[in-house]
């Protein structure tokens, strides 16, 4: 009977793959048809052709990405209604009846040639019971089946029965399985995060499917699946609110490059490829900061008082001269009185435009006043000057060297980069702006102009850009033309869809987006990442407890709708400027409001990653040091006890008992990072990587900060006592390090760890 059930599922899943291949072949055929079109020299026709090509290319990519574990579950409805649309009603499928009794659940939705659903997308409401049904609350479901696969072949089935009284003897003999969740948890890690779409648990699913608007905070200890929940929520929202999020997109923010590399395959495997992934050092266009400031420096830069300092610094670049200036204008000496500059500055500031945009008003006002003065002076010399000559005189003034120097001295054009570089490199200017600061505090910001921007500088650059505005003269006219072009693109897209006979397959708005992409040769994600003013429909922030108030201010500008999913663990907060509570953390987004007013909190309480003995040891260590730990219950134990050794690190890693567990994370203090890597690389050639590069090797050497959000089969922590004492918030750093392994934890102490 078991074999019969397994064969039945294999046959059915084979029909799903056959349909997937048909759709892929059809998309490829459509793409080839588009490429064969002769559109001549008509630019609009070429744009439409290329846009359609992009649509079909994206469809092919999506179908390729979901090939692995296409279908992973089946629901049996207790009392199906004929025609209820349940998956599993395809004609000819192995013993599948036509009454909607079975619903198959997968990565994407599929329909047969008659448009009957044969596979439900995991995000649709009908698939919800696969994750939420229990024996106490079966939600109209008689049984749930997990389909475990290798490649395209189902290798095992596992059943859960919610209505045991109705089970026949034959059905009971077919039931089997130790649990899909436990099987996935025991699998070796690969250096890449995998989706959990087949094993989402009820408390996770409730969070994933919660409403879109507002600020949702997901608190959970290590191993509770916070990152997985956040990414699956992003995929769910994109599917369920496609119309609202199509043009604005979703931003996922992670703590580091290593983290982004770790998670980058998850969303494509769920059928979503348009999400923007960025580390906190990549949130300002043109800057990819990886250097971290010293903790005391990061603390200063992360405080909200930096926002007012930047605003004061910008205002201070407007200077009214103390006395009149004599300017040479094509051989004519013109006296520029201070009140002319003062009036122009006042007029420009009244516009309430950003600094560089208001400067246009300043220059225009000053030149108009100077033009009248120059005309009057020329008339006093006996020259004939009428109003038709004013344009020429204004141009003479604009191009005169002395005039340019005078106007730039009074109101210099600024970029965010130059402002910040000047602020750090000119101690006297900084002192004048910060009279209440101590000399020691000012000295923390001192550095040369050529120093690279750090992660903590990114929100300061963005803050400066918000006040400065664009350093050009495009503005309103360009924006108006862009809106007109967008309207034309949508109209052209509607016509093209009718001409191509693909109604229902492509949305006009989506196709219009690809017109713009084709013109700029950039994807939506690339355009969003390059545009500082881009605002997202939803923002997901992982390891959110690490963000400074200034980083939250930046994200508030990226998400003005205040639609956020924020995941993290306050107990793991180790950054110098990170918050002590979620109320404090989200204050820059929603103000000082109570939970339930401006934001809502969900907690994850089951630890799926960390074995019981490791989780309990980490929680006890954290609680002894006063960390606000969210207690969680581990679902399994490991056969490996926690060990402490006094030996060289090379000897520990040479022990095949550790190496055979799969991936190993070696977590060390920052000052030991390079020397540890060099020594281990010599001892284990080809097996060791540094930081993010280590995720593709058997052994990764990294700091506690770099290890945030990652997991390894085995973790070796070097000098745990020094982590506690030498790193600010050392207890949090050690807590992070201790909770990275899925199998084994080893401490190396009192040893020459680098040989």
């Amino acid at each position: 009977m078991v074999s019969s059930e397994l064969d039945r599922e294999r046959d059915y899943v084979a029909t799903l793959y056959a349909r997937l291949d048909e759709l892929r072949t059809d998309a490829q055929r459509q793409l080839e048809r588009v490429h064969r079109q002769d559109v001549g020299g008509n630019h609009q026709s070429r744009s439409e052709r290329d846009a359609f090509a992009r649509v079909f290319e994206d469809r092919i990519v999506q179908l390729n990405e979901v090939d692995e574990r296409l279908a992973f579950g089946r629901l049996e409805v207790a009392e199906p209604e004929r025609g209820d649309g349940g998956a599993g009603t395809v004609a000819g499928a192995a013993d599948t009846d036509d009454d909607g009794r079975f619903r198959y659940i997968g990565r994407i939705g599929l329909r047969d040639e008659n448009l009957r659903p044969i596979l439900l997308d995991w995000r649709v409401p009908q698939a919800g019971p696969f994750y939420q049904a229990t024996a106490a609350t079966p939600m109209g479901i008689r049984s749930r089946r997990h389909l475990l696969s290798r490649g395209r072949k189902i290798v095992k089935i596992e059943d859960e029965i919610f209505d045991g009284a109705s089970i026949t003897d034959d059905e009971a003999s077919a039931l089997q399985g130790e649990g899909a969740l436990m099987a996935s948890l025991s699998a070796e890690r690969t250096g890449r995060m995998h989706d959990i779409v087949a094993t989402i648990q009820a408390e996770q699913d409730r969070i994933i499917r919660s409403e879109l608007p507002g600020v949702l905070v997901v608190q959970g200890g290590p191993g509770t699946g916070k990152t997985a929940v956040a990414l699956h929520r992003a995929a769910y929202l994109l599917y369920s609110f496609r119309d609202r999020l199509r043009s604005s997109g979703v931003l996922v923010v992670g703590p580091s490059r290593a983290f982004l590399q770790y998670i980058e395959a998850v969303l494509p495997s769920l059928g979503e490829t348009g999400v923007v992934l960025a580390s906190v050092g990549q949130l300002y266009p043109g800057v990819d900061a990886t250097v971290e400031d010293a903790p005391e420096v990061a603390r200063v830069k992360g405080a909200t008082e930096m926002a007012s300092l930047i605003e004061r610094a910008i205002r201070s670049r407007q200077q009214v001269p103390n006395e009149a200036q004599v300017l040479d204008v094509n051989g004519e000496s013109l006296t520029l009185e201070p009140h002319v500059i003062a009036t122009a500055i006042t007029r420009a500031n009244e516009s309430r435009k950003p600094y560089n945009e208001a400067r246009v008003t300043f220059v225009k006002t000053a030149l108009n006043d100077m033009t009248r003065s120059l005309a009057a002076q020329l008339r006093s010399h006996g020259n004939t000057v009428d109003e038709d000559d004013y344009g020429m005189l204004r141009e003479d003034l604009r191009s005169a060297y002395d005039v340019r120097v005078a106007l730039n001295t009074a109101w210099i054009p600024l970029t965010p980069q130059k402002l910040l570089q000047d602020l750090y490199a000119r101690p006297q200017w900084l002192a004048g702006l910060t009279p209440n600061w101590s000399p020691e505090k000012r000295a923390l910001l001192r550095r040369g102009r050529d120093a690279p921007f750090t992660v903590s500088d990114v929100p300061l650059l963005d803050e400066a850009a918000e006040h400065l505005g664009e350093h050009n003269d495009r503005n309103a006219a360009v924006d108006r033309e862009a809106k007109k072009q967008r309207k034309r693109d949508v109209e052209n897209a509607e016509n093209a869809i009718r001409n191509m006979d693909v109604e229902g397959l492509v949305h006009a708005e989506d196709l219009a987006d690809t017109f713009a992409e084709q013109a700029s040769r950039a994807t939506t994600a690339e355009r969003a990442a390059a545009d500082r003013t881009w605002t997202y429909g939803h923002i997901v922030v992982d390891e959110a407890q690490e963000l400074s108030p200034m980083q939250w201010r930046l994200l508030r500008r990226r998400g003005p709708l205040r639609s956020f999913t924020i995941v993290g663990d306050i107990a793991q907060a180790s950054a110098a400027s990170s918050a002590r509570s979620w109320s404090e953390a989200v204050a820059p987004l929603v103000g000082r409001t109570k939970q339930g007013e401006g934001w809502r909190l969900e907690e994850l309480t089951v630890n799926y990653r960390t074995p019981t003995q490791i989780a309990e040891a980490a929680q006890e260590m954290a609680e002894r040091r006063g960390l606000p730990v969210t207690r969680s219950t581990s679902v399994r134990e490991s056969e490996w006890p926690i060990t402490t050794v006094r030996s060289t690190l090379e000897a520990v890693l040479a022990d095949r008992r550790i190496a055979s567990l799969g991936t190993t994370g070696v977590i060390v203090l920052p000052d030991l990072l390079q020397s540890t890597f060099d020594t281990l690389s010599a001892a284990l050639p080809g097996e060791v990587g540094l930081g993010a590069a280590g995720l593709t090797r058997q052994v990764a050497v990294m700091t506690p900060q770099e290890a945030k959000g990652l997991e390894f089969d085995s973790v070796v922590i070097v000098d745990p006592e020094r982590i506690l004492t030498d790193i600010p918030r050392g207890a949090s750093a050690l807590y992070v390090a201790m909770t990275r392994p899925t199998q084994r934890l080893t401490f190396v102490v009192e040893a020459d760890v680098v040989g």
Side-chain angles (χ1 to χ4, degrees):
M1 176 63 73
V2 169
S3 176
S4 175
E5 285 292 311
L6 185 59
D7 289 342
R8 182 178 292 110
E9 298 300 358
R10 285 173 174 170
D11 289 345
Y12 188 80
V13 171
T15 66
L16 299 178
Y17 275 112
R19 182 57 177 160
L20 182 72
D21 290 339
E22 289 175 4
L23 294 173
R24 187 186 291 118
T25 299
D26 184 63
Q28 185 64 47
R29 187 163 48 245
Q30 294 273 28
L31 177 61
E32 292 170 357
R33 181 165 72 95
V34 169
H35 282 158
R36 287 196 301 268
Q37 284 184 332
D38 182 10
V39 296
N42 184 287
H43 173 75
Q44 180 64 38
S45 297
R46 289 200 308 273
S47 179
E48 290 176 7
R49 179 198 61 192
D50 294 342
F52 270 112
R54 172 68 68 85
V55 169
F56 291 122
E57 288 166 355
D58 289 347
R59 177 62 170 162
I60 292 169
V61 168
Q62 182 197 44
L63 295 174
N64 288 336
E65 291 286 355
V66 300
D67 197 283
E68 183 73 16
R69 294 182 300 162
L70 172 65
F72 50 78
R74 189 197 76 179
L75 293 173
E76 182 183 3
V77 181
E79 296 182 3
E81 295 181 7
R82 188 169 286 275
D84 73 348
T89 58
V90 61
D95 292 342
T96 301
D97 53 25
D98 233 4
D99 62 1
R101 185 159 60 103
F102 296 131
R103 299 176 186 169
Y104 282 80
I105 315 299
R107 296 179 177 279
I108 62 171
L110 292 178
R111 292 177 179 269
D112 64 14
E113 292 181 348
N114 297 318
L115 300 182
R116 291 180 299 180
I118 56 176
L119 182 67
L120 294 179
D121 190 297
W122 66 276
R123 293 166 286 195
V124 301
Q126 297 95 319
F130 183 76
Y131 304 107
Q132 301 162 0
T134 65
T137 310
M139 302 176 69
I141 301 301
R142 182 169 181 257
S143 70
R144 171 168 53 212
R145 171 169 287 177
H146 295 271
L147 309 176
L148 282 70
S149 61
R150 184 177 299 116
R152 287 189 163 196
K153 184 177 181 181
I154 301 298
V155 296
K156 192 175 183 181
I157 57 178
E158 295 173 349
D159 290 303
E160 299 171 77
I161 301 299
F162 302 133
D163 183 11
S166 66
I167 299 282
T168 66
D169 290 341
D170 286 345
E171 288 174 326
S173 67
L175 300 179
Q176 57 178 312
E178 63 180 27
L181 175 63
M182 297 307 296
S184 68
L185 295 178
S186 301
E188 283 190 1
R189 269 45 188 176
T190 63
R192 290 289 188 276
M193 184 180 181
H194 296 293
D195 64 74
I196 61 166
V197 66
T199 58
I200 293 171
Q201 301 301 292
E203 72 169 2
Q204 297 172 327
D205 188 70
R206 186 185 69 255
I207 296 170
I208 289 169
R209 296 174 189 267
S210 61
E211 59 189 27
L212 170 65
V215 175
L216 170 65
V217 176
V218 182
Q219 161 70 32
T224 53
K226 298 183 297 296
T227 298
V229 166
L231 295 176
H232 287 70
R233 176 161 168 76
Y236 171 78
L237 293 177
L238 282 165
Y239 179 89
S240 301
F241 302 94
R242 183 75 63 183
D243 290 342
R244 292 175 60 177
L245 297 176
R246 181 191 298 120
S247 59
S248 56
V250 172
L251 171 66
V252 175
V253 180
S256 65
R257 280 184 183 175
F259 178 83
L260 296 181
Q261 182 177 325
Y262 178 63
I263 69 170
E264 63 185 357
V266 173
L267 286 165
S269 74
L270 297 172
E272 299 296 346
T273 58
V275 177
V276 178
L277 300 179
S279 70
V280 291
Q282 296 173 316
L283 292 175
Y284 187 82
V287 174
D288 186 0
T290 58
V291 177
E292 294 280 357
D293 282 304
E296 59 273 15
V297 178
R299 187 178 295 109
V300 173
K301 292 182 178 180
T304 52
E305 65 178 340
M306 289 298 295
S308 58
L309 171 57
I310 287 171
E311 190 173 3
R312 292 197 303 275
I314 292 172
R315 285 201 305 266
S316 74
R317 303 315 293 266
Q318 302 171 6
Q319 295 286 340
V320 178
N322 294 324
E323 55 187 24
Q325 305 169 73
V326 179
L327 312 178
D328 177 34
V329 183
N330 289 343
E332 187 77 20
S333 295
L334 178 67
T335 300
L336 177 60
E337 297 291 346
H339 73 84
V340 173
I341 296 298
T343 300
I345 289 176
T346 300
R347 184 74 56 82
N349 286 331
E350 287 173 350
S351 71
R352 299 191 179 278
K353 294 179 179 178
Y355 177 94
N356 285 321
E357 296 171 25
R359 184 180 179 275
V360 175
T361 301
F362 161 75
V363 171
K364 181 179 180 180
T365 302
L367 286 177
N368 286 343
D369 200 322
M370 294 167 68
T371 299
R372 289 190 293 269
S373 296
L374 180 58
Q377 184 170 307
L378 291 173
R379 291 191 188 101
S380 70
H381 295 165
N383 296 296
T384 301
V385 179
D386 55 35
E387 289 190 2
D388 291 340
D389 297 319
Y390 275 36
M392 180 181 64
L393 294 179
R394 187 180 294 107
E395 191 57 37
D396 287 344
L397 285 163
R398 188 190 303 276
S399 59
Y401 175 79
D402 283 1
V403 174
R404 293 203 307 271
V405 170
L407 295 182
N408 282 342
T409 301
W411 192 318
I412 188 170
L414 281 175
T415 64
Q417 291 87 338
K418 177 172 172 51
L419 178 76
L420 220 55
Q421 288 164 341
D422 287 349
L423 196 63
Y424 296 153
R426 294 173 55 186
Q428 291 182 332
W429 184 39
L430 178 61
L433 294 169
T434 57
N436 298 324
W437 285 23
S438 68
E440 293 77 16
K441 184 175 179 179
R442 294 190 198 104
L444 293 174
L445 298 184
R446 183 82 167 90
R447 75 180 191 200
R449 295 178 187 278
D450 57 348
F453 288 114
T454 66
V455 173
S456 298
D457 287 328
V458 167
L460 305 185
L461 289 168
D462 194 75
E463 189 79 29
E466 188 72 9
H467 290 289
L468 291 173
E470 294 294 330
H471 184 198
N472 57 46
D473 298 327
R474 4 181 344 250
N475 300 328
V478 175
D479 291 340
R480 284 195 299 271
E481 179 55 34
K483 290 180 180 179
K484 292 179 181 178
Q485 183 60 49
R486 173 65 178 178
K487 183 178 180 181
R488 290 193 293 267
D489 284 345
V490 172
E491 292 173 352
N492 290 333
E494 292 171 346
N495 292 331
I497 289 171
R498 285 192 292 270
N499 294 337
M500 292 288 291
D501 193 25
V502 289
E503 289 93 342
L505 298 177
V506 182
H507 293 288
E509 292 281 345
D510 290 338
L511 190 59
D513 287 341
T514 62
F515 291 168
E517 291 171 19
Q518 205 64 35
S520 64
R521 306 303 300 175
T523 65
T524 301
E526 289 168 341
R527 289 186 290 122
D531 184 355
R532 194 200 68 81
T533 63
W534 190 282
T535 57
Y536 295 90
H538 192 77
I539 296 179
V540 176
V541 187
D542 204 349
E543 298 296 338
Q545 74 280 351
E546 299 300 326
L547 268 60
S548 71
M550 289 301 296
Q551 288 167 332
W552 282 116
R553 283 176 64 91
L554 182 157
L555 290 176
R556 185 179 67 186
R557 288 190 285 271
R558 298 293 189 275
L561 297 178
R562 305 293 197 275
S563 182
F564 281 79
T565 298
I566 297 167
V567 300
D569 179 14
I570 289 294
Q572 296 184 61
S574 58
S577 54
S578 55
R580 304 281 180 175
S581 68
W582 284 119
S583 295
E584 179 185 340
V586 302
L589 288 181
V590 298
R592 295 283 179 177
T593 58
K594 296 180 181 179
Q595 175 190 333
E597 294 178 356
W599 56 285
R600 60 192 192 276
L601 176 70
E602 293 279 2
E603 291 191 275
L604 295 170
T605 59
V606 180
N607 190 327
Y608 301 101
R609 175 178 67 218
T610 316
T612 299
Q613 60 268 47
I614 297 176
E616 289 182 351
Q619 289 175 163
E620 289 171 3
M621 181 281 300
E623 288 174 342
R624 285 198 307 271
R625 287 163 175 81
L627 297 182
V629 174
T630 300
R631 275 275 174 177
S632 60
T633 303
S634 295
V635 299
R636 64 190 177 91
E637 293 188 359
S638 169
E639 62 180 290
W640 304 98
I642 300 173
T643 57
T644 300
V645 299
R646 289 168 173 80
S647 175
T648 64
L649 186 54
E650 309 97 277
V652 173
L653 290 182
D655 183 347
R656 291 297 96 183
R657 289 178 302 166
I658 290 181
S660 64
L661 284 175
T663 59
T664 298
V666 177
I667 301 180
V668 301
L669 289 159
D671 60 356
L672 294 177
L673 189 65
Q674 190 62 50
S675 57
T676 301
F677 169 71
D678 292 342
T679 301
L680 291 180
S681 295
L684 302 169
E687 297 183 26
V688 185
L690 183 63
L695 297 179
T696 60
R697 304 293 180 88
Q698 185 175 356
V699 178
V701 182
M702 56 183 56
T703 65
Q705 178 67 25
E706 291 173 323
K708 279 186 176 296
L710 308 183
E711 60 182 25
F712 303 91
D713 296 296
S714 175
V715 166
V716 178
I717 302 176
V718 177
D719 273 3
E721 288 301 322
R722 280 194 61 199
I723 290 177
L724 284 171
T725 58
D726 292 10
I727 296 180
R729 298 193 177 186
S732 293
L734 183 57
Y735 185 52
V736 168
M738 289 179 66
T739 52
R740 297 308 97 196
T742 65
Q743 298 291 343
R744 186 170 181 179
L745 174 63
T746 302
F747 295 107
V748 176
V749 299
E750 298 178 6
D752 181 3
V753 296
V754 292

